[in-house]
Amino acid sequence: MNNNGFFNALLNLRSAAAFGVAVIATGVSYRFYNSPAGALLGGLIFLVVATYSVLFSEEKEPQKKEQDYNDFRELANESRDRLSPIIEKLGVVLGNIKLLDRGKYQFIAKFMSEIAVFEELIPNLVMSYRKGIRFLASRDAQATTDIKSLEMKLNSGVSESARQTYGKAISEKKQILSELKHIRNNLDDCESKLYYILSTLEKIETIIYSDELRDNISDETSKNINQQLEIFSGSVRDIAKVMKL
């Protein structure tokens, strides 16, 4: 457990209550019996409860990491689509990266803050992607069919007035089709960028774990990791821009 976790475990409600008991026991003992026995008893209570708090906090930490992965898995399976396997794999690789030795790798603090931003972005990104997919369902195919039908009517020897009406309808349908294709292109771009982010994170994980047996991270490895981190940061900004998040 790190220092912050240790002191947080000590300074919680359970420990505060134990400390209060210790103070009261000391006061009562000296007031009525003029004896330090109450202080010893109170101190023992505080020591037992504080020790339990520290051990209890240590047991909680790995459960939180597992819950992070479960969150990704649940998000992936809310609606099985082309994003589902990517989200599941992202949950695994991000969980592995969080287990890295933060004392050995100086870049971890900054990297963890960027990962936190990315993790916060993921639910909204997936929701926007799936909303877009639902909106597009059969709409672009229907627009294409409508255009072909109108073009056939336009070429069937109708009056000039009808030709103008059909021509305007075809123009409007083509504009709708163009906008639908723009939405689909953005969704495809989102999917490809997520794949790229996943590949980048997997590369970072592989580079670091291949360097684990050394006492100190090599200059070449450090340079390689920093390059991949820049790629990761840029890709996260790009995908947020594409999905307008």
Side-chain angles (χ1 to χ4, degrees):
M1 177 184 292
N2 56 32
N3 290 336
N4 288 336
F6 178 79
F7 286 112
N8 287 339
L10 286 179
L11 302 177
N12 59 20
L13 184 60
R14 189 185 297 106
S15 299
F19 182 74
V21 170
V23 172
I24 293 171
T26 301
V28 171
S29 177
Y30 274 107
R31 175 68 178 83
F32 293 101
Y33 303 105
N34 194 25
S35 168
L40 292 176
L41 178 60
L44 180 61
I45 294 173
F46 176 72
L47 179 62
V48 169
V49 175
T51 302
Y52 174 77
S53 297
V54 173
L55 295 176
F56 184 76
S57 299
E58 287 179 340
E59 290 174 357
K60 281 287 186 181
E61 188 173 357
Q63 292 178 4
K64 185 177 185 302
K65 289 186 175 68
E66 181 66 23
Q67 183 61 37
D68 288 343
Y69 169 68
N70 288 336
D71 289 343
F72 273 84
R73 187 170 56 186
E74 289 173 7
L75 181 63
N77 288 286
E78 280 179 0
S79 175
R80 292 301 299 183
D81 52 34
R82 291 161 64 174
L83 283 194
S84 296
I86 311 175
I87 301 303
E88 284 187 281
K89 291 177 182 177
L90 279 170
V92 174
V93 71
L94 287 172
N96 291 340
I97 289 175
K98 288 177 183 179
L99 295 175
L100 293 173
D101 185 350
R102 302 190 182 197
K104 180 178 179 181
Y105 302 108
Q106 299 299 318
F107 65 88
I108 286 293
K110 180 184 176 183
F111 188 29
M112 287 301 121
S113 65
E114 294 188 6
I115 281 181
V117 172
F118 178 57
E119 288 182 328
E120 187 176 347
L121 175 71
I122 285 291
N124 289 332
L125 189 150
V126 173
M127 180 183 68
S128 296
Y129 176 91
R130 288 172 174 166
K131 183 179 178 181
I133 290 294
R134 289 193 297 270
F135 176 78
L136 284 178
S138 75
R139 273 189 171 88
D140 46 1
Q142 184 61 51
T144 301
T145 301
D146 290 345
I147 290 171
K148 290 180 178 179
S149 176
L150 290 167
E151 287 175 341
M152 288 177 63
K153 292 178 181 179
L154 181 65
N155 297 324
S156 63
V158 295
S159 66
E160 184 61 28
S161 175
R163 288 177 62 84
Q164 290 179 0
T165 302
Y166 284 137
K168 289 179 180 178
I170 289 171
S171 178
E172 290 175 356
K173 289 289 185 181
K174 285 184 176 179
Q175 178 63 33
I176 291 172
L177 183 61
S178 175
E179 292 173 357
L180 291 173
K181 285 182 178 178
H182 177 69
I183 295 172
R184 187 170 294 280
N185 288 338
N186 279 355
L187 296 179
D188 289 343
D189 199 19
C190 169
E191 183 183 344
S192 65
K193 288 183 185 301
L194 271 180
Y195 266 118
Y196 188 53
I197 288 173
L198 173 61
S199 298
T200 302
L201 290 172
E202 288 175 335
K203 189 169 184 178
I204 291 171
E205 179 190 10
T206 301
I207 292 170
I208 293 173
Y209 277 100
S210 67
D211 200 71
E212 278 290 310
L213 296 178
R214 305 177 188 176
D215 292 334
N216 296 303
I217 190 168
S218 66
D219 292 339
E220 181 181 355
T221 301
S222 179
K223 181 180 178 181
N224 199 351
I225 289 173
N226 286 327
Q227 288 176 343
Q228 297 303 317
L229 290 179
E230 289 179 9
I231 292 172
F232 170 74
S233 300
S235 298
V236 171
R237 289 193 297 270
D238 288 345
I239 201 169
K241 185 177 180 181
V242 165
M243 300 303 289
K244 298 180 180 180
L245 298 175

